[in-house]
Amino acid sequence: MARNINQPVRMCIVCRERFTQSSLVRLQCKEGHLEPYMGMGRSFYLCNTCTDHKKTSGQLARYCKSNTPAALMNRLKEIVVNDG
Ligand SMILES: [Zn+2]
């Protein structure tokens, strides 16, 4: 895969592949709830493939310290849709 070396590269938390930052969805957790990254606090990335992957709910639950992975996945779908 060709990459522009001037673009920052980040790792998807599910597949651990590296992608340019602009092709990833940037997220954060606030008190156990999943939100789009608002510019403050810790964030993490998902690639487009892993926004709908069977391993994703478990990873989100870990990052958000949540025991409701299904709710996190529902929220993720909303965020991805709104993100375009
Ligand atoms: Zn991924």
Side-chain angles (χ1 to χ4, degrees), residues 1-12 15-24 47:
M1 182 167 47
R3 277 190 191 126
N4 182 338
I5 59 165
N6 294 316
Q7 282 199 32
V9 173
R10 297 288 182 267
M11 190 180 74
C12 167
C15 64
R16 299 183 168 272
E17 293 279 335
R18 287 170 193 277
F19 301 88
T20 55
Q21 195 171 345
S22 55
S23 66
L24 293 157
C47 71

Side-chain angles (χ1 to χ4, degrees), residues 4-69:
N4 182 338
I5 59 165
N6 294 316
Q7 282 199 32
V9 173
R10 297 288 182 267
M11 190 180 74
C12 167
I13 62 163
V14 179
C15 64
R16 299 183 168 272
E17 293 279 335
R18 287 170 193 277
F19 301 88
T20 55
Q21 195 171 345
S22 55
S23 66
L24 293 157
V25 182
R26 192 173 191 178
L27 301 162
Q28 67 183 145
C29 288
K30 274 188 176 175
E31 294 157 10
H33 297 283
L34 191 66
E35 299 293 343
Y37 183 60
M38 299 299 187
M40 279 178 62
R42 285 186 62 188
S43 66
F44 54 89
Y45 296 87
L46 284 180
C47 71
N48 287 322
T49 306
C50 291
T51 55
D52 189 16
H53 190 284
K54 63 182 188 319
K55 284 184 179 173
T56 303
S57 60
Q59 283 289 21
L60 289 178
R62 243 170 71 178
Y63 270 71
C64 291
K65 299 182 172 60
S66 167
N67 55 13
T68 55

